[in-house]
């Protein structure tokens, strides 16, 4: 089973380099490379995890696996919003970590070609946004997932952390 | 995985095992040589065999570099197997270096350019090995130690000359390894051959079978199982013929090979039983194989089909194969039975007396009818050969041969005739005859004829049974006691069992179902839980390996380090059979090396100062393992100078790791723990072994990564002891669930001393807001979990909740929680990689209802409490 999924990943990588999952946060479209996406689950309750930064919403049980959910709104400095029935958690796998990111709504899977990438003509470029694609007159930000997820240690109390290293 | 990758992986694994095994042996013999104790030849043989195996395996998969290196090492060792040379302890150095290089190369054989990478190192090593070899062979003569060698050889040579018994020189472990590998190899060859019968053109299969057979052969020769080796050589040759000629393999050869593989298996079984494998009619079998190969004259033992050679020389080529002293039929006590059919009493007696002198059993018959009666009768021993005259009363030779050919297909017949009348032979055309001898044949020729004919018959019997596939072989294969399993498979199985436990809890604790209170359901679930629990135990035990291997590595470490520091050190080990998780032993390897080196370098003093202190010149390091309860302790004890408490403190203060005030109040253990700080070292000089102050902090980190910890005990001038304590079980624990507000937590049951409700115990509050409870004159700090994790509790009043007294390694404290829930076995989960560790939480577990509870890291809480790094958010309004 493991081998197969590995194979899938590599083959996916070849032809889905430009495929993106588009989701919405505060009515703005954002895209992440589909190869990082493991699955999409509907919103469910979290167990709060103490000693973590505010952008960690909590942990949830994904079929026997405990994953941590990141509040992308907070990371992008967007206002807090109560989850509704459209709220989804996109489970992603980055490096060796599996985690969830909470988004307002999942829209579609899109092919974004190089020609659709435009220089920043819509709004100002944000910290975690690496490109802007113009699709059907709408600006979609592609997110630098590595930056978004790993730029900041999710654990509070860095000083303590340093003591343990 | 392709066949090749599989072979290489197997080779790597096996070679590492072998190298791990051989190093301690090299060191032992070096020690013996040093102490002028006679070295056990068994030891040398064992080492020799190891290099030989590596060489053989490497050669069989075409790894020339490895083959060359191990060959050189092997030739050096070979010198000491005889009685001419004496092993000197210096040789161990270069041999250890050889094992290092071999190990490095083997690690890298996956790389395409591995040969280039190691070209320089290996050619240098080979040159030095060669030099060593010549030095030994040329220089030793004058050294005058030969007498020792001879003496020693006399002591041990008798053992060498009795290969019939499995003596101690093949130690039991090697034998079982050999047998289990052998079964593997044979099974592989067998399955390839079987597929070859269906698809005769698959070259890679032939190649694979060939390699496997070759490896098997190599192992046999290594273990001195000559018969097995010879037979497997023959099979290998057959396979190599098909491989080289690219000829489609016929149907007969595989069938024959399969038959022979069964014979080899029987041999392996003999070995298992402890007897020397002996293959009956070995040469015949080999001839048979060679004969079956299509027209390949180059093959050595090819059998010449000419029935009678006119030359009198018995050593002539067609029978040369018989002359192998081990297999020569003449050596055997019980001989084949020969039936002589001849009407003339005189010539009958003449032949029978000749043959009787050669130990054959003789039956006599005066004519064909009598002969047939004897053959058909059950009372008479089975006949192996019939020698018959042609002209006889009642039934003549001609008819007899015809009947025998029909009735006893496998029975060879030799015609004995006075007159060499061509006409008689014309009559016989079409009969299956093994040979023909004249009545006045020379003695030797007669014997050769008889021998050949009997072999002929045996071959026929074998052939017919080789093709008799319907006959199921009696299978008494002793079950093998080990199999190699991919770690990934094991891990996924362990994970699955972990999930099974959760799923079981989800089902049995389902609130809807439990509400119904069905007695039969409860009964079933109890049983289910029992089975799952057992399954879980078994699964976890799969990963357990004895620490023996780990300890063996340390022999080398001590040897190298003591050499460098010029100290005399003996390593003693105990508790090698203590088992630890494979993962744990892997993680432990580096820390152990570090700590052992430290003990050698800093712990044990130089011989001179040891003598001054009236200790024996030789230092001792004791490395041991012991299981106590749910914990394994690995201890490293040296009888050196011990840790210098004052020096450590001084250094710590100068490096401002501690301030002087706290220093006065520190316990010994706390002070010793300072050495685990990064960059801390009291060594004045940095040696290339240790002293830089890196290392100990890595040691601690590694050990903490497996939830272990290190205790240090030290006694000035008497040595120090490092105890590494590792929890036996990494993935599961018995926990107690409790609740604070809406959050659920678990703590290991092992650290709970007691729980109580606050009644008339006095609680005092210190100026920094810390509360203390007086529990039976024990003053214990109270930690409110809701203050640590900043959550809203059900109640702030200490009288409303429960106090749990927790006993951990560094102290005791009370944890204030809202409510105790229940006790359970849990599987510890991590946060799937994103969050690696939290200060006071070491993981989480999934409860029966699918909710998550957090597992408290009680050890860390105490540590933080003591170091005042625990941040409490007081809310006691």
């Amino acid at each position: 089973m493991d081998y197969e999924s590995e194979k899938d990943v590599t083959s996916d990588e070849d032809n889905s380099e430009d495929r993106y999952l588009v989701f919405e946060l505060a009515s703005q479209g954002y895209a992440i490379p589909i190869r990082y996406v493991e699955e999409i689950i509907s919103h469910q309750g979290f167990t709060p995890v103490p000693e973590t930064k505010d952008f960690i919403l909590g942990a949830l049980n994904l079929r026997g696996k405990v994953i941590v959910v990141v509040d992308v709104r907070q990371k992008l400095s967007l206002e807090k919003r109560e989850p509704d029935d459209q709220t989804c958690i996109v489970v992603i796998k980055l490096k060796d970590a599996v985690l969830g990111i909470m988004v307002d709504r999942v829209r579609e899977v899109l092919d974004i070609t190089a020609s659709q990438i435009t220089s920043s003509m819509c709004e100002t470029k944000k910290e975690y946004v690496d490109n802007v694609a113009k699709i059907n007159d709408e600006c979609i930000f592609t997110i630098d997932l590595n930056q978004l997820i790993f730029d900041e240690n999710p654990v509070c109390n860095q000083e303590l952390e340093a003591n343990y290293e | 995985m392709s066949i090749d990758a599989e072979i290489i992986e197997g080779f790597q694994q096996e070679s590492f095992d072998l190298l791990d095994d051989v190093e301690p042996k090299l060191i032992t013999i070096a020690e013996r040589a040093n102490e002028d104790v006679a070295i056990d030849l068994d030891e040398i043989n064992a080492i020799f065999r190891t290099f030989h195996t590596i060489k053989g395996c490497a050669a069989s998969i075409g790894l020339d570099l490895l083959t060359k290196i191990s060959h050189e090492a092997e030739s050096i060792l070979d010198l000491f197997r005889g009685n001419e040379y004496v092993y000197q302890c210096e040789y161990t150095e270069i041999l250890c270096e050889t094992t290092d290089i071999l190990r490095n190369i083997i690690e890298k054989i996956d790389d395409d350019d591995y040969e280039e990478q190691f070209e320089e190192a290996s050619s240098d090593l080979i040159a030095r090995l060669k030099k060593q070899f010549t030095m030994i062979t040329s220089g030793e003569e004058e050294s005058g130690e030969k007498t020792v060698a001879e003496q020693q050889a006399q002591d041990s040579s008798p053992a060498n000359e009795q290969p019939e018994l499995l003596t101690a020189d093949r130690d039991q472990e090697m034998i079982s390894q050999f047998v289990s590998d052998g079964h593997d190899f044979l099974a592989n060859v067998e399955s390839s051959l079987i597929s070859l019968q269906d698809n005769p053109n698959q070259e890679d299969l032939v190649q694979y079978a060939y390699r496997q057979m070759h490896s098997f052969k190599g192992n046999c020769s290594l273990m001195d199982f000559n018969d097995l080796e010879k037979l497997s050589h023959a099979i290998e040759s057959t396979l190599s013929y098909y491989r080289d000629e690219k000829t489609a393999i016929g149907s007969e050869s595989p069938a024959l090979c399969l038959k022979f593989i069964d014979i080899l298996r029987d041999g392996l079984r003999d070995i298992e039983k402890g007897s020397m494998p002996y293959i009956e009619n070995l040469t015949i079998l080999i001839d048979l194989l060679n004969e079956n190969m299509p027209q390949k004259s180059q093959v050595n033992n090819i059998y010449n089909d000419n029935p009678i050679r006119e030359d009198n020389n018995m050593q002539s080529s067609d029978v040369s194969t018989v002359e192998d002293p081990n297999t020569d039929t003449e050596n055997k006590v019980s001989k084949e039975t020969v039936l002589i059919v001849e009407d003339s009493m005189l010539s009958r007696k003449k032949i029978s007396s000749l043959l009787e002198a050669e130990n054959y059993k003789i039956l006599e018959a005066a004519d064909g009818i009598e002969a047939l009666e004897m053959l058909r009768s059950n009372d008479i021993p089975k006949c192996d050969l019939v020698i018959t005259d042609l002209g006889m009363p009642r039934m003549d030779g001609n008819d007899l041969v015809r009947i025998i050919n029909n009735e006893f297909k496998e029975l060879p017949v030799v015609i004995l005739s006075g007159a060499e009348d061509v006409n008689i032979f014309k009559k016989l055309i079409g009969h299956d005859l093994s040979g023909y001898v004249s009545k006045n044949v020379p003695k030797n020729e007669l014997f050769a004829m008889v021998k050949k004919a009997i072999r002929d018959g045996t071959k026929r019997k074998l052939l017919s049974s080789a093709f008799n596939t319907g006959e199921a072989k009696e299978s008494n294969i002793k079950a093998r006691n080990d199999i190699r399993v991919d770690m990934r498979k094991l891990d996924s199985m362990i994970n699955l069992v972990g999930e099974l436990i959760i799923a079981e809890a989800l089902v049995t604790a389902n609130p809807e179902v439990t509400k119904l209170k069905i007695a039969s359901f409860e009964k079933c679930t109890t049983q289910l839980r029992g089975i799952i629990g057992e399954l879980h135990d078994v699964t976890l035990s799969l990963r357990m390996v004895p620490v023996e291997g780990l300890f063996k590595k340390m022999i080398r470490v001590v040897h190298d380090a003591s050499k460098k520091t010029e100290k005399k050190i003996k390593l003693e080990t105990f508790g090698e059979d203590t088992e630890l998780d494979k993962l744990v032993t892997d993680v432990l390897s580096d820390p152990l090396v570090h700590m052992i080196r430290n003990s050698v370098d800093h712990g044990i003093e130089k011989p001179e100062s040891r003598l001054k202190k009236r200790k024996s010149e030789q230092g001792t390091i004791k490395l041991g393992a012991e299981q106590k309860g749910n914990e394994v302790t690995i201890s490293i004890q040296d009888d050196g100078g011990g840790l210098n408490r004052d020096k450590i403190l001084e250094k710590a203060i100068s490096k401002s790791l501690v301030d002087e005030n706290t220093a006065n109040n520190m316990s010994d253990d706390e002070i010793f723990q300072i050495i685990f700080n990064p960059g801390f070292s009291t060594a004045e000089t940095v040696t290339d072994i240790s002293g830089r102050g890196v290392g100990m902090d890595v040691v601690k980190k590694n050990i903490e990564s497996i939830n272990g910890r290190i205790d240090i005990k030290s006694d000035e001038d008497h040595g120090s002891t490092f105890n590494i304590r590792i929890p036996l079980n990494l993935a599961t624990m018995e926990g107690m669930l409790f609740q604070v507000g809406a959050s659920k937590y678990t703590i290991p049951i092992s650290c709970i001393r007691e729980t109580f409700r606050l009644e008339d115990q006095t609680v005092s509050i210190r100026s920094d807001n810390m509360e203390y409870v007086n529990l039976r004159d024990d003053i214990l700090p109270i930690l409110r979990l809701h203050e640590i994790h900043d959550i809203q509790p059900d109640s702030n009043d200490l009288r409303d909740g429960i106090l749990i007294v927790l006993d951990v390694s560094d102290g005791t404290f009370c944890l204030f929680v809202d409510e105790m829930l229940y006790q359970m076995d849990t599987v510890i989960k991590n946060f799937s990689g994103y969050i690696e560790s939290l200060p006071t939480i070491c993981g989480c577990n999934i409860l029966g209802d699918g909710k998550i509870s957090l597992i408290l890291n009680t050890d860390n809480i105490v540590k933080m409490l003591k170091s005042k790094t625990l941040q409490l958010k007081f809310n006691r309004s």
Side-chain angles (χ1 to χ4, degrees), chain B residues 862-876:
Chain B
V862 172
K863 273 184 209 155
M864 289 165 69
L865 185 67
K866 290 195 164 178
S867 62
K868 303 198 166 58
T869 45
L870 195 61
Q871 294 188 348
L872 301 173
K873 297 201 172 121
F874 298 110
N875 59 13
R876 295 177 192 161

Side-chain angles (χ1 to χ4, degrees), chain A residues 20-151:
Chain A
Y20 286 81
L21 177 79
V22 181
F23 57 80
E24 242 173 56
L25 290 167
S27 308
Q28 167 65 49
Y30 293 87
I32 55 170
I34 195 111
R35 65 176 184 275
Y36 295 125
V37 178
E38 296 266 293
E39 63 180 296
I40 297 163
I41 54 175
S42 59
H43 170 257
Q44 46 179 280
F46 307 117
T47 303
V49 182
E51 297 171 327
T52 51
K53 299 265 167 65
D54 287 347
F55 68 82
I56 300 293
L57 286 163
L60 64 81
N61 169 9
L62 180 72
R63 293 188 304 278
K65 212 173 195 173
V66 177
I67 63 165
V68 169
V69 181
V70 170
D71 187 354
V72 192
R73 275 180 159 262
Q74 175 142 5
K75 289 232 83 171
L76 296 174
S77 326
L78 298 167
E79 242 169 74
K80 249 196 154 23
R81 173 179 176 274
E82 279 305 306
D84 58 24
D85 58 350
Q86 296 236 346
T87 307
C88 283
I89 289 155
V90 181
V91 180
I92 55 173
K93 189 173 182 185
L94 262 187
K95 296 178 183 168
D96 283 330
V98 179
L99 65 151
I101 55 174
M102 191 163 91
V103 301
D104 291 358
R105 183 163 90 87
V106 168
R107 231 192 247 171
E108 63 195 322
V109 175
L110 259 191
D111 286 322
I112 299 182
T113 57
S115 61
Q116 288 170 307
I117 308 271
T118 56
S119 48
S120 54
M121 46 180 287
C122 321
E123 283 187 63
T124 42
K125 206 171 157 184
K126 289 194 174 110
E127 201 182 340
Y128 302 113
V129 172
D130 58 3
N131 264 319
V132 181
K134 196 162 185 192
I135 290 147
N136 303 334
D137 291 331
E138 193 201 346
C139 283
I140 302 225
F141 296 127
T142 62
I143 286 185
D144 181 349
L145 267 181
N146 271 307
Q147 182 70 16
L148 180 85
I149 300 301
F150 292 114
D151 73 324

Side-chain angles (χ1 to χ4, degrees), chain A residues 3 47-52 55-56 59-61 64-68 70 97-99 149 155 157 160-161 164, chain B residues 486 488 499 701 745 789 829-835 837-841 844 846 850 852 854 860 864 869 871:
Chain A
Y3 310 126
T47 303
V49 182
E51 297 171 327
T52 51
F55 68 82
I56 300 293
L60 64 81
N61 169 9
K65 212 173 195 173
V66 177
I67 63 165
V68 169
V70 170
V98 179
L99 65 151
I149 300 301
V155 180
N157 234 335
L160 275 177
E161 272 281 287
Y164 290 113
Chain B
D486 192 334
R488 280 177 297 185
E499 286 186 24
K701 216 172 144 186
Y745 288 92
H789 285 163
K829 298 260 165 188
N830 58 21
F831 294 106
S832 303
Y834 186 40
I835 294 176
S837 70
L838 290 161
T840 61
I841 293 162
C844 49
I846 293 171
I852 295 167
L854 301 166
N860 256 354
M864 289 165 69
T869 45
Q871 294 188 348

Side-chain angles (χ1 to χ4, degrees), chain B residues 326-602:
Chain B
N326 285 335
T327 50
D328 195 333
T329 41
E330 280 171 34
N331 288 345
K332 288 173 213 156
V333 189
S334 74
K335 277 291 204 169
E336 292 85 356
T337 314
V338 180
L339 174 63
I340 300 168
V341 193
E342 163 70 287
D343 53 341
S344 147
M345 169 88 117
L346 187 71
S347 83
R348 197 167 72 214
K349 285 292 169 206
K350 181 190 152 198
I351 291 172
S352 69
S353 66
L354 276 174
L355 289 175
E356 238 160 8
E358 284 295 306
N359 273 328
Y360 289 101
K361 276 191 198 143
I362 304 296
L363 296 172
E364 292 176 32
D367 59 45
I369 303 238
E370 197 185 328
L372 275 180
E373 271 168 12
M374 289 172 87
L375 285 174
R376 284 171 187 155
S377 141
N378 288 329
D379 306 336
I380 294 165
K382 219 170 158 274
C383 222
D384 296 300
L385 173 69
V386 178
I387 300 176
T388 176
D389 190 11
L390 282 174
M392 287 181 293
R394 292 210 284 176
M395 182 189 285
D396 73 2
N398 192 5
D399 290 337
L400 178 67
V401 172
R402 196 173 52 237
I403 293 166
I404 289 176
N405 279 175
N406 280 335
E407 226 168 289
F408 310 96
K409 283 198 181 71
E410 290 132 27
L411 187 61
V413 183
V414 170
I415 299 291
L416 182 74
S417 171
E420 295 188 33
D421 190 339
V422 188
N423 289 330
I424 300 170
F425 293 115
K426 276 189 182 157
K427 276 205 228 161
L428 290 169
I429 292 176
H431 289 335
D432 187 3
L433 282 183
S434 290
Y436 153 81
V437 277
S438 139
K439 271 183 189 171
N440 50 8
V441 67
K443 203 162 72 173
N444 288 349
E445 223 167 281
L446 172 72
F447 295 152
M449 189 69 238
V450 168
K451 224 183 256 178
K452 197 218 118 209
I454 288 173
R455 280 201 293 141
D456 231 32
T458 319
K459 269 188 228 171
R460 279 189 229 174
K461 265 183 227 159
L462 276 167
L463 263 179
S464 72
S465 68
F467 296 113
N468 190 357
T469 46
E471 192 183 314
K473 228 181 115 60
E474 177 199 1
S475 100
N476 55 342
I477 303 168
K478 196 178 138 199
R480 292 193 32 196
N481 47 16
D482 64 35
I483 53 165
R484 260 195 207 127
V485 181
D486 192 334
M487 267 308 262
R488 280 177 297 185
K489 282 189 196 164
L490 267 190
D491 285 345
S492 71
M493 175 168 170
I494 290 166
N495 285 339
L496 281 173
V497 172
E499 286 186 24
L500 180 66
I501 291 175
I502 295 167
E504 177 255 353
L506 281 174
V507 173
T508 53
N510 185 312
E512 309 288 316
V513 180
T514 44
K515 241 183 266 166
L516 299 173
K517 295 214 188 326
I518 313 162
S520 62
F521 180 76
E522 304 260 308
K523 208 171 141 195
C524 293
T525 53
T526 312
Q527 196 186 357
L528 179 68
R529 198 169 305 139
I531 294 169
I532 292 178
E534 241 170 86
L535 176 67
H536 184 231
D537 290 346
V538 172
T539 322
L540 288 178
S541 72
L542 292 179
R543 288 172 53 116
M544 304 299 265
V545 291
V547 293
E548 193 184 359
L550 193 63
F551 284 8
K552 268 190 184 164
K553 276 191 203 153
M554 300 305 142
I555 298 177
R556 174 81 191 276
V557 174
V558 170
H559 172 258
D560 287 0
S562 58
K563 203 108 204 160
K564 275 195 186 138
T565 52
E566 291 166 357
K567 291 174 183 171
K568 290 187 179 161
I569 294 165
K570 187 169 69 189
L571 179 74
E572 284 175 7
T573 56
F574 60 91
E576 291 98 329
D577 51 358
T578 311
E579 290 193 328
L580 276 176
D581 192 295
K582 176 83 170 61
L583 185 87
V584 173
T585 56
D586 288 350
V587 174
L588 268 182
S589 175
D590 285 345
L592 268 188
V593 170
H594 262 299
M595 294 172 80
I596 295 262
R597 280 187 180 163
N598 266 334
S599 290
V600 174
D601 202 20
H602 305 314

Side-chain angles (χ1 to χ4, degrees), chain B residues 598 601-602 643-644 647-655 657 672-687 689-697:
Chain B
N598 266 334
D601 202 20
H602 305 314
L643 293 168
N644 191 329
K647 214 164 162 188
I648 293 171
L649 260 187
E650 194 184 305
K651 198 94 177 186
I653 294 166
S654 77
K655 286 202 166 194
L657 290 166
F672 296 145
Q673 293 288 336
I674 294 173
I675 66 169
F676 294 115
N677 274 304
F680 187 87
S681 171
T682 57
E684 278 102 29
T685 50
V686 172
T687 65
I689 300 175
S690 57
R692 272 178 220 287
V694 276
M696 280 319 247
D697 62 312

